[in-house]
Amino acid sequence: IVFSGNGPSGICLSYLLSGYTPYFKRHSLHPHPILQRKLEEAPEVSVLDQDLEYLSEGLEGRSQNPVALLFDTLQRPDTDFGGTAESVLTWWHEPDRAIPHLVLGRNAPGGAWHSIEGSMITLSRGEWMGLPDLPFKEWLKQKRRGLRNNRATAEDIAQYYQHYVVKKGLQKNFRCGTVVTSVRKVSAESISNDTQKDLQDSGSLWNSNEKSTEVFQVDGFFKTVEGDKEPFSIYAENVVLATGTYDNPTWLGVKGENLSYVHHQLSALEEAVKNNSVGIMSDPVLIVGAGLTAADAILFAHHCNVPVIHVFRRRVTDPGLIFNQLPKMMYPEYHKVHQMMKEQTAACAGPYERYISLSEHHVLSFGKDKKCIFQDKNGCQKAYKISMALVLTGSNPNLSFLPNDGIDLAVDSEQPVNPKRNPIDVDPFTYECTQEKGLYALGPLAGDNFVRFVQGGALAVASSLLKKANKNPP
């Protein structure tokens, strides 16, 4: 089994496939009485071997995926209601149930968390970032630190995921500095005899005498310490897509967007502040977008006294705007950005220096002279001189290693895969792609956009793979 992606989804699945097995903890009480009754029916049978559809029936919460809700409520029984009930799971290491697998990723374990500015605070509460059987809060305590406002920094999260892989003994499954360039189905008989022999020796499930058998060929390269690229080819019966969506920022598609002063990642602003190319005296930085990454950029610029023009398409009061959905008490800094967006428009000066909000505007073009043209909802155009632009309007997964960029696997197979609007179409109880047997999708690719919910996807995949490998007790 090969996974592409070594973020929280990949780490959690590696844990489950390494023989770590969840059971219902005897004498524990779940606040959900129906679920409690179901768990008591077969306490000696691992959750991995139970009927996940039956267990997750009737659960409600902040995810659309039933197994995501199930695993989350088993690990954090009443967390959405502010409760602190302990997990009702106990973990046993049963090495004979382990399934050989490889986790391929560009960065260290933790995936995109290593690419995010370290001081950024997570949207989710700190304890929701934790993985099975090693609470995040406990790990922080060992570092003699607490959670700020119940939330954690990106740097802490990245370190915790690396620590988790070492602590649980999963390193042997991870290959970091790896880029996957192609995943495709090939027939078993097209593989060289040597490779077939290796696969048979490794106790592979498929029999090379069966002419109809197909396997996945995964191609890519390792980046060596010297910076060389070493190509590899791996054959696998099952491939898990867990690449997340951080790789491919969305473009506006307007004239001049490819000019050197237009960027699509927050790190460009951090870099510019570091080398003093923007500062208190420079032309404003343009920030386009009204999501949390744009808000992080505004907070960072505000903190560094960098002037900002903030452009976004929606009304400030639009209920679809993320700021109108976040509780004020828990997210004071995002509430502050929302206040700025409301109070500090070009038409009326508010209390916030060096910030202008242009709601219901969109960018028409970027000029070589660093002049940017906007248009408002009435069709009126304005030009501003800027020092740099950050287009932070979301990102899409990079699935260029799949045939047709993976579009055929999406719910709407005419449109690109998008974590919010058009995820990969998977079976809700196994996360196997409906269009391609043996291929699984996890995390944002399957519509689970929060770490606490990607873990249920890992449970579903592990349960399915154990059944295939027949490592499930009856």
Side-chain angles (χ1 to χ4, degrees):
I1 298 159
V2 171
F3 322 170
S4 180
N6 66 359
S9 310
I11 297 171
C12 186
L13 181 55
S14 177
Y15 179 69
L16 291 164
L17 293 182
S18 297
Y20 290 96
T21 311
Y23 289 87
F24 175 54
K25 200 191 291 172
R26 297 291 173 102
H27 313 303
S28 52
L29 257 184
H30 198 285
H32 194 296
I34 298 171
L35 182 58
Q36 174 74 16
R37 253 204 329 273
K38 290 177 181 176
L39 292 166
E40 285 170 348
E41 285 169 14
E44 70 292 340
V45 179
S46 154
V47 175
L48 279 169
D49 307 322
Q50 296 201 31
D51 180 341
L52 298 180
E53 184 168 1
Y54 171 64
L55 287 181
S56 54
E57 202 176 35
L59 294 177
E60 290 176 356
R62 299 184 189 182
S63 169
Q64 302 300 310
N65 288 329
V67 186
L69 289 175
L70 170 66
F71 200 40
D72 185 60
T73 191
L74 292 173
Q75 293 197 94
R76 289 170 275 268
D78 53 1
T79 187
D80 278 333
F81 304 104
T84 52
E86 274 194 14
S87 166
V88 298
L89 295 177
T90 181
W91 293 86
W92 290 84
H93 192 209
E94 300 173 345
D96 56 319
R97 300 194 64 188
I99 296 181
H101 60 278
L102 271 184
V103 188
L104 309 177
R106 289 169 187 254
N107 299 321
W113 286 95
H114 293 282
S115 314
I116 299 168
E117 211 284 310
S119 59
M120 290 298 165
I121 305 273
T122 59
L123 173 64
S124 293
R125 292 166 59 165
E127 64 259 36
W128 293 350
M129 307 303 292
L131 295 174
D133 204 31
L134 180 63
F136 180 70
K137 261 187 171 163
E138 276 180 29
W139 176 80
L140 259 192
K141 262 189 212 143
Q142 290 166 1
K143 295 182 74 73
R144 302 203 172 8
R145 279 218 297 288
L147 290 170
R148 182 177 130 198
N149 207 9
N150 271 331
R151 285 150 65 215
T153 67
E155 185 179 9
D156 281 337
I157 301 293
Q159 283 183 12
Y160 163 78
Y161 291 143
Q162 275 188 279
H163 172 79
Y164 186 92
V165 168
V166 174
K167 173 100 173 141
K168 300 296 183 187
L170 308 177
Q171 312 96 302
K172 62 183 184 301
N173 306 316
F174 282 72
R175 296 287 179 279
C176 303
T178 313
V179 177
V180 173
T181 53
S182 159
V183 173
R184 60 200 174 94
K185 271 258 174 93
V186 294
S187 65
E189 65 263 28
S190 69
I191 303 170
S192 75
N193 290 337
D194 293 345
T195 310
Q196 287 201 17
K197 186 172 182 319
D198 289 346
L199 287 164
Q200 282 175 313
D201 291 346
S202 71
S204 168
L205 314 181
W206 53 279
N207 179 348
S208 59
N209 299 331
E210 291 177 23
K211 288 288 177 237
S212 60
T213 308
E214 288 189 309
V215 290
F216 291 98
Q217 180 174 331
V218 181
D219 294 317
F221 57 85
F222 293 111
K223 284 181 279 195
T224 62
V225 186
E226 296 78 41
D228 298 330
K229 293 179 179 180
E230 275 187 25
F232 67 82
S233 272
I234 306 170
Y235 297 95
E237 293 160 85
N238 298 285
V239 169
V240 180
L241 304 173
T243 50
T245 62
Y246 197 73
D247 288 341
N248 227 359
T250 312
W251 283 48
L252 300 171
V254 300
K255 188 172 173 239
E257 195 172 359
N258 55 352
L259 290 166
S260 61
Y261 69 91
V262 183
H263 304 271
H264 295 82
Q265 275 173 332
L266 175 53
S267 51
L269 178 59
E270 293 149 17
E271 202 51 46
V273 167
K274 219 181 273 172
N275 62 32
N276 293 324
S277 53
V278 297
I280 192 165
M281 301 307 289
S282 60
D283 285 326
V285 169
L286 170 68
I287 294 173
V288 184
L292 297 175
T293 312
D296 285 338
I298 289 160
L299 288 166
F300 183 77
H302 191 61
H303 177 70
C304 301
N305 292 317
V306 174
V308 166
I309 296 171
H310 182 200
V311 171
F312 49 100
R313 286 172 175 262
R314 294 176 186 252
R315 290 190 329 277
V316 183
T317 51
D318 186 326
L321 207 62
I322 183 78
F323 307 103
N324 291 317
Q325 300 166 17
L326 295 176
K328 288 177 190 175
M329 292 294 285
M330 216 170 129
Y331 302 101
E333 74 279 41
Y334 289 139
H335 179 58
K336 179 183 178 180
V337 172
H338 197 207
Q339 288 290 107
M340 291 162 75
M341 289 160 70
K342 277 189 224 167
E343 295 175 19
Q344 188 91 8
T345 60
C348 65
Y352 304 102
E353 278 187 83
R354 292 186 281 281
Y355 171 88
I356 297 173
S357 146
L358 299 176
S359 66
E360 298 183 87
H361 280 64
H362 62 270
V363 177
L364 284 181
S365 66
F366 297 101
K368 287 190 175 134
D369 53 359
K370 294 198 176 178
K371 274 211 179 107
C372 182
I373 315 276
F374 310 118
Q375 184 169 308
D376 69 11
K377 59 177 179 182
N378 304 318
C380 293
Q381 294 186 8
K382 304 169 184 160
Y384 281 90
K385 181 100 167 60
I386 59 173
S387 59
M388 69 185 289
L390 291 171
V391 177
L392 302 172
T393 52
S395 60
N396 289 303
N398 176 5
L399 298 175
S400 58
F401 57 88
L402 291 174
N404 196 21
D405 290 335
I407 290 175
D408 310 332
L409 303 173
V411 172
D412 174 357
S413 56
E414 305 287 303
Q415 299 292 325
V417 174
N418 178 288
K420 293 195 170 70
R421 292 183 296 280
N422 194 30
I424 289 178
D425 192 9
V426 295
D427 177 299
F429 302 104
T430 65
Y431 281 61
E432 191 167 16
C433 298
T434 38
Q435 301 303 326
E436 185 68 88
K437 294 297 164 240
L439 194 62
Y440 293 80
L442 269 184
L445 296 179
D448 288 325
N449 290 298
F450 288 101
V451 169
R452 59 184 284 206
F453 294 126
V454 305
Q455 301 173 47
L459 179 78
V461 174
S463 171
S464 168
L465 291 170
L466 281 160
K467 286 189 178 76
K468 282 186 181 180
N470 207 8
K471 293 211 177 195
N472 273 15

